[in-house]
Amino acid sequence: EPEVTQTPSHQVTQMGQEVILRCVPISNHLYFYWYRQILGQKVEFLVSFYNNEISEKSEIFDDQFSVERPDGSNFTLKIRSTKLEDSAMYFCASSVRTGNGYTFGSGTRLTIV
Amino acid sequence: GEDVEQSLFLSVREGDSSVINCTYTDSSSTYLYWYKQEPGAGLQLLTYIFSNMDMKQDQRLTVLLNKKDKHLSLRIADTQTGDSAIYFCAETQGNTDKLIFGTGTRLQVFP
């Protein structure tokens, strides 16, 4: 069964540094997403991406965050000047079209120290 | 508004049925989903239902939607120890495709 692949599975970064989280969506999917889950809290929407541009973003997704699809397969989330409160599990997801369910990756656990 | 609520814990005996409940507040919900998260793993889509449906059955899973009460439930028949996980309901609203997740229900199955 096709999978969404995320790397690394665990990332430890010093506060103030930049981090890039990587995702390889399912190959025929057109819609891409990032979500995050702070420990013990709800899964929260960050951003959706379609046709090489952001289609929707949440209040969390401020200027500190950016997304990119640098080639035909990868989808990245960059976090600049990381803060302690950015520590969370970050999930990438993709779908072939909206509404019929999203396939999530297994997540990257980001720890800011 | 965006608010999806679930009870935090459910404990059932192996072989019994489990019913996980979810309430939401936005009447413009279009699709409603159930995801399963096992320890250290990602979010696995179990099933989803369109808001104009009342029920959907898929093998051991039955989803019931009461749109009037804004209540969604997931029934797992013949619950197994492998069903132990956190279950999230989620919805999409109106013309947006972002998912609004519930708080998650931790299901524990004991022998």
Side-chain angles (χ1 to χ4, degrees):
Chain A
E1 190 168 325
E3 288 184 343
V4 173
T5 305
Q6 289 187 244
T7 54
S9 56
H10 193 182
Q11 172 80 41
V12 180
T13 299
Q14 277 204 317
M15 188 170 58
Q17 297 297 303
E18 175 182 286
V19 65
I20 298 176
L21 308 182
R22 302 182 190 278
C23 170
V24 179
I26 294 173
S27 59
N28 65 333
H29 285 189
L30 302 175
Y31 298 81
F32 313 112
Y33 311 85
W34 283 101
Y35 287 78
R36 79 171 184 191
Q37 184 182 29
I38 295 172
L39 188 64
Q41 297 187 23
K42 288 187 181 187
V43 178
E44 303 172 291
F45 168 79
L46 292 178
V47 66
S48 58
F49 191 88
Y50 170 71
N51 202 24
N52 281 323
E53 61 183 24
I54 290 173
S55 46
E56 189 172 1
K57 59 183 181 179
S58 70
E59 290 176 356
I60 303 166
F61 195 90
D62 59 19
D63 292 343
Q64 187 194 2
F65 295 86
S66 61
V67 289
E68 197 177 34
R69 190 154 161 81
D71 52 41
S73 60
N74 290 284
F75 179 52
T76 62
L77 174 68
K78 183 189 289 186
I79 310 174
R80 289 177 283 273
S81 300
T82 48
K83 304 182 282 245
L84 293 176
E85 52 265 38
D86 295 327
S87 295
M89 182 75 92
Y90 287 81
F91 292 105
C92 173
S94 69
S95 66
V96 63
R97 62 178 183 270
T98 60
N100 71 329
Y102 309 80
T103 303
F104 280 82
S106 54
T108 293
R109 182 170 297 284
L110 177 63
T111 304
I112 306 301
V113 295
Chain B
E2 301 177 352
D3 207 8
V4 181
E5 297 294 335
Q6 301 175 238
S7 52
L8 291 180
F9 298 103
L10 178 65
S11 184
V12 300
R13 189 180 298 278
E14 191 175 17
D16 287 350
S17 293
S18 308
V19 179
I20 303 170
N21 295 301
C22 173
T23 57
Y24 58 98
T25 55
D26 198 307
S27 58
S28 69
S29 296
T30 49
Y31 289 91
L32 296 118
Y33 305 84
W34 283 103
Y35 281 88
K36 176 184 180 182
Q37 185 181 35
E38 296 183 68
L43 297 160
Q44 176 195 353
L45 176 66
L46 291 177
T47 187
Y48 65 96
I49 189 168
F50 189 51
S51 58
N52 67 353
M53 297 170 64
D54 298 323
M55 187 183 89
K56 182 177 180 181
Q57 185 153 5
D58 184 0
Q59 299 182 337
R60 291 192 298 125
L61 305 179
T62 303
V63 178
L64 294 177
L65 175 60
N66 181 330
K67 203 170 178 186
K68 174 176 164 288
D69 294 338
K70 298 188 182 70
H71 183 264
L72 179 75
S73 68
L74 174 70
R75 178 176 180 270
I76 306 172
D78 187 24
T79 314
Q80 303 297 307
T81 53
D83 295 324
S84 294
I86 300 176
Y87 290 79
F88 292 93
C89 66
E91 61 169 351
T92 54
Q93 300 169 342
N95 61 357
T96 174
D97 62 348
K98 72 176 182 182
L99 288 168
I100 309 297
F101 280 87
T103 46
T105 299
R106 183 178 295 276
L107 173 66
Q108 184 174 23
V109 183
F110 58 93

